[in-house]
Every structure is written in C-alpha cells, then in structure tokens.
Coordinates of all heavy atoms in Angstrom, one line a residue:
M647 N 0.8 -1.2 0.0 CA 0.0 0.0 0.0 C 0.8 1.2 0.0 O 2.0 1.2 0.5 CB -0.9 0.0 1.2 CG -2.0 -1.0 1.2 SD -3.4 -0.6 2.3 CE -4.6 -1.7 1.7
S648 N 0.3 2.3 -0.5 CA 1.1 3.6 -0.7 C 1.2 4.3 0.6 O 0.5 4.1 1.6 CB 0.5 4.4 -1.8 OG -0.7 4.9 -1.4
A649 N 2.0 5.3 0.5 CA 2.3 6.1 1.7 C 1.2 7.1 2.0 O 1.0 7.8 3.0 CB 3.6 7.0 1.5
D650 N 0.2 7.3 1.0 CA -0.9 8.2 1.2 C -2.1 7.4 1.7 O -3.3 7.6 1.3 CB -1.3 8.9 -0.2 CG -1.6 7.9 -1.3 OD1 -1.3 6.7 -1.1 OD2 -2.3 8.4 -2.2
L651 N -1.8 6.6 2.7 CA -2.8 5.8 3.4 C -3.9 6.7 4.1 O -3.6 7.5 4.9 CB -2.0 4.9 4.3 CG -2.6 3.6 4.9 CD1 -2.9 2.7 3.7 CD2 -1.6 3.0 5.7
D652 N -5.1 6.3 3.9 CA -6.2 6.9 4.5 C -6.8 6.0 5.6 O -7.7 5.2 5.3 CB -7.3 7.4 3.5 CG -8.4 8.3 4.1 OD1 -8.3 8.6 5.3 OD2 -9.3 8.6 3.3
Y653 N -6.3 6.2 6.9 CA -6.7 5.2 7.9 C -8.2 5.1 8.1 O -8.7 4.0 8.2 CB -6.1 5.8 9.3 CG -6.3 4.8 10.3 CD1 -5.5 3.6 10.5 CD2 -7.2 5.1 11.3 CE1 -5.7 2.8 11.5 CE2 -7.4 4.2 12.4 CZ -6.6 3.1 12.5 OH -6.9 2.2 13.5
P654 N -9.0 6.2 8.2 CA -10.5 6.0 8.3 C -11.2 5.1 7.3 O -12.2 4.4 7.5 CB -11.1 7.4 8.4 CG -9.9 8.3 8.7 CD -8.7 7.6 8.1
K655 N -10.5 4.9 6.1 CA -11.2 4.2 5.1 C -10.7 2.7 5.0 O -11.2 1.9 4.3 CB -10.8 4.8 3.7 CG -11.5 6.1 3.5 CD -11.3 6.6 2.0 CE -12.1 8.0 1.8 NZ -11.7 8.5 0.5
L656 N -9.8 2.4 6.0 CA -9.4 1.1 6.1 C -10.4 0.1 6.7 O -11.2 0.6 7.5 CB -8.0 0.9 6.9 CG -6.8 1.6 6.4 CD1 -5.6 1.4 7.3 CD2 -6.4 1.1 5.0
S657 N -10.4 -1.2 6.3 CA -11.3 -2.1 7.0 C -10.7 -2.4 8.4 O -9.6 -2.0 8.8 CB -11.3 -3.4 6.2 OG -10.0 -4.1 6.3
R658 N -11.6 -3.0 9.2 CA -11.2 -3.3 10.6 C -9.9 -4.2 10.6 O -9.0 -4.0 11.4 CB -12.3 -4.0 11.4 CG -13.4 -3.0 11.6 CD -14.6 -3.7 12.4 NE -14.1 -4.0 13.7 CZ -14.8 -4.6 14.6 NH1 -16.0 -5.1 14.3 NH2 -14.3 -4.8 15.9
Q659 N -10.0 -5.2 9.7 CA -8.9 -6.0 9.6 C -7.5 -5.3 9.2 O -6.5 -5.6 9.7 CB -9.1 -7.2 8.6 CG -8.1 -8.3 8.5 CD -8.6 -9.4 7.7 OE1 -9.7 -9.5 7.2 NE2 -7.8 -10.4 7.6
Q660 N -7.7 -4.4 8.2 CA -6.4 -3.6 7.8 C -6.0 -2.7 9.0 O -4.8 -2.6 9.2 CB -6.8 -2.7 6.6 CG -7.0 -3.5 5.4 CD -7.6 -2.7 4.2 OE1 -8.4 -1.9 4.4 NE2 -7.0 -2.9 3.0
K661 N -6.9 -2.2 9.7 CA -6.5 -1.4 10.9 C -5.8 -2.1 11.9 O -4.8 -1.7 12.5 CB -7.8 -0.7 11.5 CG -8.4 0.4 10.7 CD -9.5 1.0 11.3 CE -10.1 2.2 10.5 NZ -11.3 2.8 11.2
L662 N -6.3 -3.3 12.2 CA -5.6 -4.2 13.2 C -4.2 -4.6 12.6 O -3.3 -4.7 13.4 CB -6.5 -5.5 13.4 CG -5.9 -6.5 14.4 CD1 -5.5 -5.9 15.7 CD2 -6.8 -7.7 14.6
A663 N -4.2 -4.9 11.3 CA -2.8 -5.2 10.8 C -1.8 -4.0 10.9 O -0.7 -4.2 11.3 CB -2.9 -5.6 9.3
V664 N -2.3 -2.8 10.7 CA -1.5 -1.6 10.9 C -1.0 -1.6 12.5 O 0.2 -1.3 12.7 CB -2.2 -0.3 10.5 CG1 -1.5 0.9 11.1 CG2 -2.4 -0.2 9.0
F665 N -2.0 -1.8 13.3 CA -1.7 -1.7 14.8 C -0.7 -2.7 15.1 O 0.4 -2.4 15.8 CB -3.0 -1.9 15.6 CG -2.7 -2.0 17.0 CD1 -2.4 -0.9 17.7 CD2 -2.9 -3.2 17.7 CE1 -2.2 -1.0 19.1 CE2 -2.6 -3.3 19.1 CZ -2.3 -2.2 19.8
L666 N -0.8 -4.0 14.6 CA 0.2 -5.0 14.9 C 1.5 -4.7 14.4 O 2.6 -5.0 15.1 CB -0.3 -6.3 14.3 CG -1.5 -7.0 15.0 CD1 -2.1 -8.1 14.2 CD2 -1.4 -7.3 16.4
I667 N 1.7 -4.1 13.3 CA 2.9 -3.6 12.8 C 3.5 -2.5 13.6 O 4.7 -2.7 14.1 CB 2.8 -3.1 11.3 CG1 2.4 -4.3 10.4 CG2 4.1 -2.5 10.8 CD1 2.0 -3.9 9.0
V668 N 2.8 -1.7 14.0 CA 3.2 -0.5 14.9 C 3.7 -1.0 16.3 O 4.8 -0.4 16.7 CB 2.1 0.6 15.0 CG1 2.5 1.7 16.0 CG2 1.8 1.2 13.7
I669 N 3.1 -1.9 16.8 CA 3.4 -2.3 18.3 C 4.7 -3.2 18.2 O 5.3 -3.5 19.3 CB 2.2 -2.9 19.0 CG1 1.8 -4.3 18.3 CG2 1.2 -2.0 19.2 CD1 0.7 -5.0 19.2
G670 N 5.1 -3.7 17.0 CA 6.3 -4.6 17.0 C 6.1 -6.1 17.1 O 4.9 -6.4 17.5
P671 N 7.0 -6.8 16.8 CA 6.8 -8.3 16.7 C 6.5 -9.0 18.0 O 5.6 -9.9 18.1 CB 8.2 -8.8 16.1 CG 9.1 -7.7 16.3 CD 8.3 -6.5 16.4
E672 N 7.1 -8.6 19.1 CA 6.9 -9.3 20.4 C 5.4 -9.0 20.9 O 4.7 -10.0 21.2 CB 7.9 -8.9 21.5 CG 9.3 -9.3 21.2 CD 10.0 -8.4 20.3 OE1 9.5 -7.2 20.1 OE2 11.0 -8.8 19.8
A673 N 5.0 -7.8 20.9 CA 3.6 -7.4 21.4 C 2.6 -7.9 20.4 O 1.6 -8.4 20.8 CB 3.5 -5.9 21.5
A674 N 3.0 -7.9 19.0 CA 2.0 -8.5 18.0 C 1.8 -10.0 18.2 O 0.7 -10.4 18.1 CB 2.5 -8.1 16.7
A675 N 2.9 -10.7 18.6 CA 2.8 -12.1 18.8 C 1.7 -12.5 20.0 O 1.0 -13.3 19.9 CB 4.1 -12.7 19.1
E676 N 1.9 -11.6 21.0 CA 1.0 -11.8 22.2 C -0.5 -11.5 21.7 O -1.4 -12.3 22.2 CB 1.3 -10.8 23.3 CG 2.6 -11.1 24.0 CD 2.5 -12.4 24.7 OE1 1.6 -12.7 25.3 OE2 3.6 -13.1 24.7
V677 N -0.7 -10.5 20.9 CA -2.1 -10.3 20.5 C -2.5 -11.3 19.6 O -3.7 -11.9 19.7 CB -2.1 -8.9 19.7 CG1 -3.4 -8.7 19.1 CG2 -1.8 -7.8 20.6
L678 N -1.7 -11.9 18.7 CA -2.2 -12.9 17.7 C -2.5 -14.2 18.3 O -3.2 -15.0 17.8 CB -1.0 -13.0 16.7 CG -0.9 -11.9 15.7 CD1 0.3 -12.1 14.8 CD2 -2.1 -11.8 14.8
R679 N -2.0 -14.4 19.6 CA -2.3 -15.7 20.3 C -3.8 -15.7 20.6 O -4.3 -16.9 20.9 CB -1.5 -15.8 21.6 CG -0.1 -16.1 21.4 CD 0.6 -16.5 22.7 NE 2.0 -16.8 22.4 CZ 3.0 -16.1 22.8 NH1 2.9 -15.1 23.7 NH2 4.3 -16.4 22.5
Q680 N -4.5 -14.6 20.6 CA -5.9 -14.6 20.8 C -6.8 -15.0 19.6 O -8.0 -15.2 19.7 CB -6.4 -13.2 21.3 CG -5.5 -12.6 22.4 CD -5.5 -13.4 23.6 OE1 -6.6 -13.9 24.1 NE2 -4.2 -13.7 24.1
F681 N -6.2 -15.3 18.5 CA -6.9 -15.6 17.3 C -6.5 -17.0 16.8 O -5.6 -17.6 17.2 CB -6.4 -14.7 16.1 CG -6.7 -13.2 16.3 CD1 -5.8 -12.4 17.0 CD2 -8.0 -12.7 15.9 CE1 -6.2 -11.0 17.2 CE2 -8.3 -11.4 16.2 CZ -7.4 -10.5 16.8
D682 N -7.6 -17.5 16.0 CA -7.2 -18.9 15.5 C -6.3 -18.8 14.3 O -6.1 -17.7 13.8 CB -8.7 -19.7 15.2 CG -9.4 -19.0 14.1 OD1 -8.8 -18.4 13.1 OD2 -10.7 -19.1 14.1
D683 N -6.0 -20.0 13.8 CA -4.9 -20.1 12.7 C -5.4 -19.4 11.5 O -4.6 -18.7 10.8 CB -4.6 -21.5 12.4 CG -3.7 -22.1 13.5 OD1 -3.3 -21.4 14.4 OD2 -3.6 -23.3 13.6
A684 N -6.6 -19.5 11.1 CA -7.2 -18.9 9.8 C -7.1 -17.4 10.0 O -6.8 -16.6 9.1 CB -8.6 -19.4 9.6
E685 N -7.5 -16.8 11.1 CA -7.5 -15.4 11.3 C -6.1 -14.8 11.4 O -5.8 -13.8 10.8 CB -8.2 -15.1 12.7 CG -9.6 -15.3 12.7 CD -10.3 -15.2 14.1 OE1 -9.7 -15.6 15.1 OE2 -11.4 -14.7 14.1
I686 N -5.2 -15.6 12.0 CA -3.8 -15.2 12.0 C -3.2 -15.1 10.6 O -2.5 -14.2 10.2 CB -2.9 -16.2 12.8 CG1 -3.3 -15.9 14.2 CG2 -1.4 -15.9 12.7 CD1 -2.7 -17.1 15.2
E687 N -3.5 -16.1 9.8 CA -3.1 -16.1 8.4 C -3.6 -14.9 7.6 O -2.8 -14.2 6.9 CB -3.5 -17.4 7.7 CG -3.0 -17.5 6.2 CD -3.4 -18.8 5.6 OE1 -3.7 -19.7 6.3 OE2 -3.3 -18.8 4.3
L688 N -4.9 -14.6 7.8 CA -5.5 -13.4 7.1 C -4.8 -12.1 7.6 O -4.5 -11.2 6.7 CB -7.0 -13.3 7.3 CG -7.8 -14.5 6.6 CD1 -9.2 -14.4 7.1 CD2 -7.7 -14.3 5.2
L689 N -4.6 -12.0 8.9 CA -4.0 -10.8 9.4 C -2.5 -10.6 8.9 O -2.1 -9.6 8.6 CB -4.0 -10.8 10.9 CG -5.3 -10.4 11.5 CD1 -5.3 -10.8 13.1 CD2 -5.6 -8.9 11.3
C690 N -1.8 -11.8 8.9 CA -0.4 -11.7 8.4 C -0.3 -11.3 6.9 O 0.6 -10.6 6.4 CB 0.2 -13.0 8.6 SG 0.6 -13.3 10.3
R691 N -1.3 -11.8 6.1 CA -1.4 -11.4 4.7 C -1.7 -9.9 4.6 O -1.1 -9.2 3.7 CB -2.6 -12.1 4.0 CG -2.2 -13.5 3.6 CD -3.3 -14.1 2.9 NE -3.1 -15.6 2.7 CZ -3.9 -16.4 2.2 NH1 -5.1 -16.0 1.8 NH2 -3.6 -17.7 2.1
E692 N -2.6 -9.4 5.4 CA -2.8 -7.9 5.5 C -1.6 -7.1 5.8 O -1.2 -6.1 5.3 CB -3.9 -7.5 6.4 CG -5.3 -7.9 5.9 CD -5.7 -7.0 4.7 OE1 -5.1 -6.1 4.3 OE2 -6.8 -7.4 4.1
M693 N -0.8 -7.7 6.8 CA 0.4 -6.9 7.3 C 1.4 -6.9 6.2 O 2.0 -5.9 6.1 CB 0.9 -7.7 8.5 CG 0.1 -7.5 9.8 SD 0.5 -8.6 11.1 CE 2.1 -8.0 11.6
A694 N 1.5 -8.0 5.3 CA 2.4 -8.0 4.3 C 2.1 -7.0 3.2 O 3.0 -6.6 2.4 CB 2.5 -9.4 3.7
T695 N 0.8 -6.5 3.1 CA 0.6 -5.6 2.0 C 1.0 -4.1 2.4 O 1.1 -3.3 1.5 CB -1.0 -5.5 1.8 OG1 -1.7 -5.0 3.0 CG2 -1.5 -6.9 1.4
F696 N 1.4 -3.9 3.7 CA 1.8 -2.5 4.0 C 3.3 -2.4 3.9 O 4.0 -3.1 4.5 CB 1.4 -2.2 5.4 CG -0.1 -2.0 5.6 CD1 -0.9 -3.0 6.1 CD2 -0.8 -0.9 5.2 CE1 -2.3 -3.0 6.3 CE2 -2.2 -0.8 5.3 CZ -2.9 -1.9 5.9
T697 N 3.7 -1.4 3.0 CA 5.2 -1.3 2.9 C 5.7 -0.1 3.8 O 6.6 -0.2 4.4 CB 5.6 -1.0 1.4 OG1 4.8 0.2 0.9 CG2 5.3 -2.2 0.5
I698 N 5.0 1.0 3.8 CA 5.3 2.2 4.6 C 4.0 2.5 5.3 O 2.9 2.7 4.8 CB 5.8 3.2 3.8 CG1 7.2 2.9 3.1 CG2 5.9 4.6 4.6 CD1 7.6 4.0 2.1
I699 N 4.1 2.8 6.6 CA 2.9 3.3 7.4 C 3.4 4.7 7.9 O 4.3 4.8 8.8 CB 2.6 2.3 8.5 CG1 2.3 1.0 8.1 CG2 1.4 3.0 9.4 CD1 2.0 0.0 9.1
P700 N 2.8 5.7 7.3 CA 3.1 7.1 7.7 C 2.9 7.4 9.2 O 2.0 6.7 9.8 CB 2.2 8.0 6.8 CG 1.8 7.1 5.8 CD 1.8 5.7 6.3
A701 N 3.7 8.2 9.7 CA 3.5 8.5 11.3 C 2.1 8.9 11.7 O 1.7 8.4 12.7 CB 4.5 9.6 11.6
P702 N 1.4 9.8 10.9 CA 0.1 10.1 11.3 C -0.8 8.9 11.4 O -1.7 8.8 12.2 CB -0.5 11.1 10.2 CG 0.7 11.6 9.6 CD 1.8 10.5 9.7
V703 N -0.7 7.9 10.4 CA -1.5 6.7 10.4 C -1.2 5.8 11.7 O -1.9 5.2 12.3 CB -1.4 5.9 9.1 CG1 -2.0 4.6 9.2 CG2 -1.8 6.7 8.0
Q704 N 0.1 5.8 12.0 CA 0.6 5.0 13.1 C -0.1 5.6 14.4 O -0.5 4.9 15.3 CB 2.2 5.1 13.3 CG 2.9 4.4 12.2 CD 4.3 4.4 12.4 OE1 4.9 4.6 13.5 NE2 5.1 4.4 11.3
K705 N -0.1 6.9 14.5 CA -0.7 7.6 15.6 C -2.2 7.3 15.8 O -2.7 7.0 16.8 CB -0.5 9.1 15.6 CG -1.0 9.9 16.7 CD -0.7 11.3 16.6 CE -1.2 12.0 17.8 NZ -1.7 13.3 17.6
Q706 N -2.9 7.4 14.6 CA -4.3 7.0 14.6 C -4.6 5.6 15.1 O -5.5 5.3 15.8 CB -4.9 7.3 13.2 CG -5.0 8.7 12.7 CD -5.6 8.8 11.4 OE1 -4.9 8.4 10.4 NE2 -6.7 9.4 11.2
A707 N -3.8 4.6 14.6 CA -3.9 3.3 15.0 C -3.7 3.1 16.5 O -4.5 2.4 17.2 CB -3.0 2.4 14.2
M708 N -2.6 3.7 17.0 CA -2.4 3.6 18.5 C -3.5 4.3 19.2 O -4.0 3.7 20.3 CB -1.1 4.3 18.8 CG 0.1 3.5 18.2 SD 0.3 1.8 18.8 CE 0.7 2.1 20.5
E709 N -4.0 5.4 18.8 CA -5.1 6.0 19.6 C -6.3 5.1 19.5 O -7.0 4.9 20.6 CB -5.5 7.4 18.9 CG -4.4 8.4 19.2 CD -4.6 9.7 18.5 OE1 -5.5 9.8 17.6 OE2 -3.8 10.7 18.7
E710 N -6.7 4.6 18.4 CA -8.0 3.8 18.3 C -7.8 2.5 19.2 O -8.8 2.2 19.9 CB -8.2 3.4 16.9 CG -9.5 2.5 16.8 CD -9.9 2.2 15.3 OE1 -9.3 2.8 14.4 OE2 -10.7 1.4 15.1
F711 N -6.7 1.9 19.1 CA -6.7 0.6 19.8 C -6.3 0.7 21.3 O -6.7 -0.1 22.1 CB -5.6 -0.3 19.1 CG -6.2 -0.9 17.8 CD1 -6.0 -0.3 16.6 CD2 -7.0 -2.1 17.9 CE1 -6.6 -0.9 15.4 CE2 -7.5 -2.7 16.8 CZ -7.3 -2.1 15.6
S712 N -5.6 1.8 21.7 CA -5.4 2.1 23.1 C -6.8 2.3 23.7 O -7.0 2.0 24.9 CB -4.4 3.2 23.3 OG -5.0 4.4 22.9
M713 N -7.7 3.0 23.1 CA -9.0 3.3 23.7 C -9.8 1.9 23.8 O -10.4 1.7 24.8 CB -9.8 4.3 22.8 CG -9.4 5.6 22.9 SD -10.5 6.8 22.1 CE -10.4 6.3 20.4
L714 N -9.7 1.0 22.8 CA -10.3 -0.2 23.0 C -9.8 -1.1 24.1 O -10.6 -1.7 24.8 CB -10.2 -1.1 21.6 CG -11.0 -0.4 20.4 CD1 -10.6 -1.2 19.2 CD2 -12.5 -0.6 20.7
V715 N -8.5 -1.1 24.2 CA -7.8 -1.8 25.3 C -8.3 -1.2 26.6 O -8.6 -2.0 27.6 CB -6.3 -1.9 25.1 CG1 -5.6 -2.4 26.4 CG2 -5.9 -2.6 23.9
A716 N -8.3 0.1 26.8 CA -8.6 0.6 28.1 C -10.1 0.3 28.4 O -10.4 0.0 29.6 CB -8.4 2.2 28.0
Q717 N -11.0 0.4 27.4 CA -12.4 0.0 27.6 C -12.6 -1.4 28.1 O -13.3 -1.8 29.0 CB -13.3 0.2 26.3 CG -13.5 1.7 26.0 CD -14.1 1.8 24.6 OE1 -14.3 0.9 23.9 NE2 -14.5 3.1 24.3
S718 N -11.9 -2.4 27.4 CA -12.0 -3.8 27.8 C -11.4 -4.0 29.1 O -11.8 -4.8 29.9 CB -11.4 -4.7 26.7 OG -10.1 -4.5 26.6
A719 N -10.3 -3.4 29.4 CA -9.7 -3.5 30.8 C -10.6 -3.0 31.9 O -10.7 -3.6 32.9 CB -8.4 -2.8 30.9
G720 N -11.2 -1.9 31.6 CA -12.2 -1.4 32.6 C -13.4 -2.3 32.8 O -13.8 -2.4 33.9
S721 N -14.0 -2.9 31.8 CA -15.0 -3.8 31.9 C -14.6 -5.1 32.6 O -15.4 -5.7 33.4 CB -15.7 -4.1 30.5 OG -14.9 -4.8 29.7
A722 N -13.4 -5.5 32.4 CA -12.9 -6.7 33.0 C -12.7 -6.5 34.6 O -12.9 -7.3 35.4 CB -11.6 -7.2 32.5
L723 N -12.4 -5.2 34.9 CA -12.2 -4.9 36.3 C -13.4 -4.5 37.0 O -13.5 -4.4 38.2 CB -11.1 -3.8 36.5 CG -9.7 -4.1 36.0 CD1 -8.9 -2.8 36.0 CD2 -9.1 -5.1 36.8
G724 N -14.5 -4.3 36.2 CA -15.8 -3.9 36.8 C -15.9 -2.5 37.1 O -16.8 -2.0 37.9
G725 N -15.0 -1.6 36.7 CA -15.1 -0.2 36.9 C -14.5 0.2 38.2 O -13.8 -0.6 39.0
L726 N -14.5 1.4 38.6 CA -13.9 1.9 39.8 C -14.8 1.6 41.0 O -16.1 1.7 41.0 CB -13.6 3.4 39.8 CG -12.6 3.8 38.6 CD1 -12.6 5.3 38.5 CD2 -11.2 3.2 38.9
A727 N -14.2 1.3 42.1 CA -15.0 1.1 43.4 C -15.0 2.3 44.2 O -14.2 3.1 44.3 CB -14.4 -0.1 44.1

C-alpha cells in the first residue's frame, strides 16, 4: 500500500494489521495468540501488504486501539469502586 494511506477508510482487519505492525513483533505475537490459525493467516497477509505506514497513520492506530484496550480492561475490572 502507498504512503498516502487513509486510515479511516481501512477495513477493521487492515486497521488491526497496521496496529500489529506498529506495536512490533513481540507485542503483536501476544495479540495474535488470541486468534485462531485462519484469522492469523489473514492478518499476516494484510500486514504484508503495507510497505510504509506514515507517522500520522501510526498515531491514529495507536489512539484507536489504546481506547479499545482501556475499555476492555475497565469492563474486566468492573469499573472503579
């Protein structure tokens, strides 16, 4: 994919692929453990299509997924007491 990447127009799978690339191989491996083999294969294919991920797109991916992680952590903890 080209450097003029439009993050909001990416599919959910493409956004996840961008996020996995941005967080690096060790953290991505931890995330990928949550998926089955077929899903991992599809995500890896998506990841392979990205040659350059511009800094603004990296920032958008981190912002989107950090909010999702914070929300799921809050629900797992049951909120503040």
Side-chain angles (χ1 to χ4, degrees):
M647 289 198 165
S648 66
D650 60 340
L651 201 55
D652 189 0
Y653 185 79
K655 292 184 179 178
L656 296 178
S657 69
R658 290 180 72 184
Q659 188 171 359
Q660 290 171 319
K661 288 179 179 181
L662 180 54
V664 168
F665 175 73
L666 292 171
I667 292 167
V668 172
I669 64 174
E672 293 84 16
E676 290 295 322
V677 173
L678 287 170
R679 286 191 179 118
Q680 307 306 310
F681 296 93
D682 65 35
D683 290 343
E685 292 169 322
I686 292 170
E687 184 177 341
L688 290 172
L689 282 167
C690 289
R691 284 185 190 170
E692 283 295 346
M693 291 169 68
T695 66
F696 293 100
T697 53
I698 296 174
I699 301 173
V703 173
Q704 292 180 30
K705 183 178 182 215
Q706 288 176 297
M708 291 301 291
E709 288 172 353
E710 179 175 348
F711 283 93
S712 65
M713 286 189 297
L714 291 172
V715 169
Q717 287 172 354
S718 64
S721 64
L723 297 173
L726 298 174

